[in-house]
Amino acid sequence: MPGRKPSINDVARIAGVSYQTVSRVINSAPDVSPATRARIQQIIADVGYHRNRAAAALVTNRSTSIGIVTDGSPRFGPVGTLLSLESVIRERGYTATVVAVNEPYDESVQEAFDTLDELGVDGIIIIAPRLSMASAVVAASVRVPVEMIAAGASGTSNIVTYSENQELGARMATQHLIDLGHTDIAHIAGSMEWFDARVRKRGWQSALRDAGLAPGLCVEGDWSPKWAYETGLRLIEEGRVPRAIFAVSDHTALGLIRAFAENGVRVPEDVSIVGFDDVEGSDYFLPPLTTVRQDFPALARATIDVLLSAVEGHAAHRAPSAPTLVVRNSAIRAR
């Protein structure tokens, strides 16, 4: 087959079988003997045949494409989710079409849905970190199954939801500080416009409540190390540095640690800190950061399972994926 790509007809000719038999093997259909299936798969590998997805879509009336809508946030969680989703979608034999939306979401979300509908995607996954974006998703109209990744959000009759159990992760972080004997545990939080910030705050509150402890200081901000640094400086100036802090993210923890270090407040000797995310390099903070690790590949696999079940017309009940507490050196036993 010099000068051109091998076709399904070439595979059939070499194997001595019909086009339909090769097609059944490619589509994992039954009614092909194991020996014939193995022989055709070997020939496919030998000649370097790759399925023509456009042709397959015409035959099956399925696009084999999944749409992803994101707000383009550079934050660790949305980016990690997007990259893992794209990778898992390819593993499952689909292609991913990504559309980024901007405010006002009421307009851009509907435009994204219309674009993906015109491309003929089988389903759409929404990475919706903000309440305002989720509201626009619920209000929009679309003809294919839609799944929204939004921590703690409830689904509707038209939209299924899935997320990692971030509230559990926040409880784990707070409980670790409680187990170390701390009773004055503050929370340096994110913006309450974000689902993640809301459920992490809720996890902090519920862990303290279950332990019979009153919630400590809570300051809400914008997630950035700069804001956390300035918050740390203000706490020092006001004489309100707590003995333990659950930081809403590792970047928040990083800003706090710098502010404390510059002003003689030692971590963990004077204040214990636990973060959330386990960003790359958090094990090289000074001190190495105790944090909560999110499993983005597991989140992506479960998300795809839920969406494909909706595409096939049946419900998939998947419990939220669980995070992991990673214990390092930024939190020690209370003195």
Short mmCIF file of all heavy atoms in Angstrom, two decimals, residues 8 20 30 36 41 49 71 76 85 138 161 178 185 192 212 234 249 266 272 290 293 322:
data_model
loop_
_atom_site.label_atom_id
_atom_site.label_comp_id
_atom_site.label_asym_id
_atom_site.label_seq_id
_atom_site.Cartn_x
_atom_site.Cartn_y
_atom_site.Cartn_z
N ILE A 8 -9.70 -0.10 5.75
CA ILE A 8 -10.35 -1.28 6.32
C ILE A 8 -10.48 -2.38 5.26
O ILE A 8 -10.42 -3.57 5.57
CB ILE A 8 -11.72 -0.90 6.91
CG1 ILE A 8 -12.29 -2.06 7.74
CG2 ILE A 8 -12.69 -0.46 5.83
CD1 ILE A 8 -13.54 -1.68 8.51
N GLN A 20 -17.30 -6.45 6.60
CA GLN A 20 -18.17 -6.45 7.78
C GLN A 20 -17.51 -7.16 8.97
O GLN A 20 -17.69 -6.73 10.11
CB GLN A 20 -19.50 -7.13 7.44
CG GLN A 20 -20.39 -6.34 6.50
CD GLN A 20 -19.99 -6.51 5.03
OE1 GLN A 20 -19.07 -7.28 4.72
NE2 GLN A 20 -20.69 -5.81 4.15
N PRO A 30 -19.98 -8.78 18.73
CA PRO A 30 -19.88 -10.25 18.86
C PRO A 30 -19.87 -10.93 17.49
O PRO A 30 -19.70 -10.29 16.45
CB PRO A 30 -21.14 -10.60 19.66
CG PRO A 30 -22.11 -9.50 19.32
CD PRO A 30 -21.29 -8.26 19.13
N THR A 36 -10.21 -15.64 14.80
CA THR A 36 -10.31 -14.65 13.73
C THR A 36 -10.12 -13.24 14.26
O THR A 36 -9.44 -12.41 13.64
CB THR A 36 -11.69 -14.76 13.05
OG1 THR A 36 -11.84 -16.07 12.49
CG2 THR A 36 -11.83 -13.72 11.94
N GLN A 41 -6.84 -8.39 14.52
CA GLN A 41 -6.20 -7.37 15.37
C GLN A 41 -4.70 -7.32 15.12
O GLN A 41 -4.10 -6.24 15.11
CB GLN A 41 -6.49 -7.67 16.85
CG GLN A 41 -7.93 -7.42 17.24
CD GLN A 41 -8.26 -7.90 18.64
OE1 GLN A 41 -7.59 -8.80 19.17
NE2 GLN A 41 -9.29 -7.32 19.25
N TYR A 49 -3.14 0.23 10.48
CA TYR A 49 -4.46 0.80 10.16
C TYR A 49 -4.98 1.59 11.35
O TYR A 49 -4.90 1.15 12.50
CB TYR A 49 -5.45 -0.31 9.82
CG TYR A 49 -6.89 0.17 9.77
CD1 TYR A 49 -7.34 0.97 8.73
CD2 TYR A 49 -7.78 -0.16 10.78
CE1 TYR A 49 -8.64 1.43 8.69
CE2 TYR A 49 -9.09 0.28 10.75
CZ TYR A 49 -9.52 1.08 9.70
OH TYR A 49 -10.80 1.54 9.68
N ASP A 71 -14.38 27.48 31.97
CA ASP A 71 -14.30 28.94 32.03
C ASP A 71 -12.88 29.45 31.82
O ASP A 71 -12.62 30.65 31.91
CB ASP A 71 -14.86 29.47 33.36
CG ASP A 71 -13.94 29.18 34.54
OD1 ASP A 71 -13.05 28.31 34.41
OD2 ASP A 71 -14.11 29.82 35.60
N PHE A 76 -5.52 25.61 39.90
CA PHE A 76 -5.02 24.24 39.86
C PHE A 76 -6.13 23.23 39.61
O PHE A 76 -5.98 22.33 38.77
CB PHE A 76 -4.32 23.93 41.19
CG PHE A 76 -3.77 22.53 41.29
CD1 PHE A 76 -2.60 22.18 40.64
CD2 PHE A 76 -4.42 21.57 42.06
CE1 PHE A 76 -2.09 20.90 40.73
CE2 PHE A 76 -3.92 20.29 42.16
CZ PHE A 76 -2.75 19.95 41.50
N LEU A 85 -9.47 14.96 31.97
CA LEU A 85 -10.62 14.62 31.15
C LEU A 85 -10.20 14.36 29.71
O LEU A 85 -10.62 13.37 29.10
CB LEU A 85 -11.64 15.75 31.19
CG LEU A 85 -12.59 15.81 32.39
CD1 LEU A 85 -13.43 17.08 32.31
CD2 LEU A 85 -13.48 14.58 32.46
N VAL A 138 -27.59 25.60 33.90
CA VAL A 138 -28.93 25.10 34.20
C VAL A 138 -29.98 25.79 33.33
O VAL A 138 -30.95 25.17 32.88
CB VAL A 138 -29.26 25.31 35.69
CG1 VAL A 138 -30.72 24.99 35.99
CG2 VAL A 138 -28.34 24.45 36.56
N THR A 161 -24.61 15.64 37.78
CA THR A 161 -23.44 16.27 38.37
C THR A 161 -22.51 15.21 38.94
O THR A 161 -22.92 14.12 39.30
CB THR A 161 -23.82 17.26 39.49
OG1 THR A 161 -24.54 16.55 40.51
CG2 THR A 161 -24.68 18.39 38.95
N ILE A 178 -7.10 18.54 64.55
CA ILE A 178 -7.77 18.18 65.82
C ILE A 178 -7.06 17.02 66.49
O ILE A 178 -6.82 17.03 67.71
CB ILE A 178 -9.25 17.83 65.55
CG1 ILE A 178 -10.01 19.07 65.07
CG2 ILE A 178 -9.91 17.26 66.81
CD1 ILE A 178 -11.42 18.77 64.57
N ILE A 185 -8.52 26.48 65.55
CA ILE A 185 -8.21 26.15 64.15
C ILE A 185 -8.93 27.13 63.24
O ILE A 185 -10.17 27.14 63.15
CB ILE A 185 -8.63 24.71 63.81
CG1 ILE A 185 -7.94 23.72 64.76
CG2 ILE A 185 -8.32 24.39 62.36
CD1 ILE A 185 -8.40 22.28 64.60
N MET A 192 -16.44 32.63 48.08
CA MET A 192 -17.67 31.85 48.18
C MET A 192 -18.45 31.82 46.87
O MET A 192 -19.48 31.16 46.77
CB MET A 192 -18.55 32.39 49.30
CG MET A 192 -17.98 32.17 50.68
SD MET A 192 -17.72 30.41 51.11
CE MET A 192 -15.91 30.35 51.17
N GLY A 212 -16.90 19.03 68.89
CA GLY A 212 -17.32 19.88 70.00
C GLY A 212 -16.53 21.16 70.12
O GLY A 212 -16.49 21.77 71.19
N ARG A 234 -1.53 40.94 57.87
CA ARG A 234 -2.56 41.63 58.66
C ARG A 234 -2.82 40.90 59.98
O ARG A 234 -3.01 41.53 61.03
CB ARG A 234 -3.84 41.74 57.85
CG ARG A 234 -4.92 42.60 58.51
CD ARG A 234 -6.06 42.91 57.58
NE ARG A 234 -6.82 41.71 57.24
CZ ARG A 234 -6.79 41.13 56.05
NH1 ARG A 234 -6.02 41.60 55.10
NH2 ARG A 234 -7.52 40.05 55.82
N SER A 249 -6.18 26.25 49.94
CA SER A 249 -5.37 25.69 48.86
C SER A 249 -3.90 25.76 49.26
O SER A 249 -3.52 26.49 50.18
CB SER A 249 -5.58 26.47 47.55
OG SER A 249 -4.99 27.76 47.64
N ARG A 266 7.05 31.01 63.35
CA ARG A 266 7.58 29.75 62.82
C ARG A 266 6.46 28.76 62.49
O ARG A 266 5.51 28.60 63.25
CB ARG A 266 8.53 29.13 63.84
CG ARG A 266 9.72 30.01 64.22
CD ARG A 266 10.45 29.42 65.41
NE ARG A 266 9.56 29.36 66.58
CZ ARG A 266 9.83 28.68 67.69
NH1 ARG A 266 10.97 28.00 67.79
NH2 ARG A 266 8.97 28.70 68.70
N SER A 272 0.58 25.64 63.08
CA SER A 272 0.52 24.49 62.18
C SER A 272 -0.39 24.83 61.00
O SER A 272 -1.44 25.46 61.18
CB SER A 272 -0.02 23.26 62.91
OG SER A 272 0.92 22.75 63.83
N THR A 290 1.87 19.60 54.64
CA THR A 290 0.80 18.61 54.80
C THR A 290 -0.42 19.12 54.04
O THR A 290 -0.80 20.29 54.18
CB THR A 290 0.46 18.43 56.29
OG1 THR A 290 1.57 17.84 56.95
CG2 THR A 290 -0.76 17.53 56.46
N ARG A 293 -4.62 15.61 48.76
CA ARG A 293 -4.34 15.35 47.34
C ARG A 293 -5.63 14.95 46.62
O ARG A 293 -6.35 14.06 47.05
CB ARG A 293 -3.32 14.22 47.20
CG ARG A 293 -3.06 13.79 45.75
CD ARG A 293 -2.09 12.63 45.71
NE ARG A 293 -0.79 13.02 46.25
CZ ARG A 293 0.08 12.17 46.78
NH1 ARG A 293 -0.22 10.88 46.84
NH2 ARG A 293 1.23 12.60 47.25
N ALA A 322 -12.78 9.97 46.31
CA ALA A 322 -12.27 10.41 47.61
C ALA A 322 -10.84 10.94 47.49
O ALA A 322 -10.02 10.37 46.79
CB ALA A 322 -12.29 9.25 48.60
#
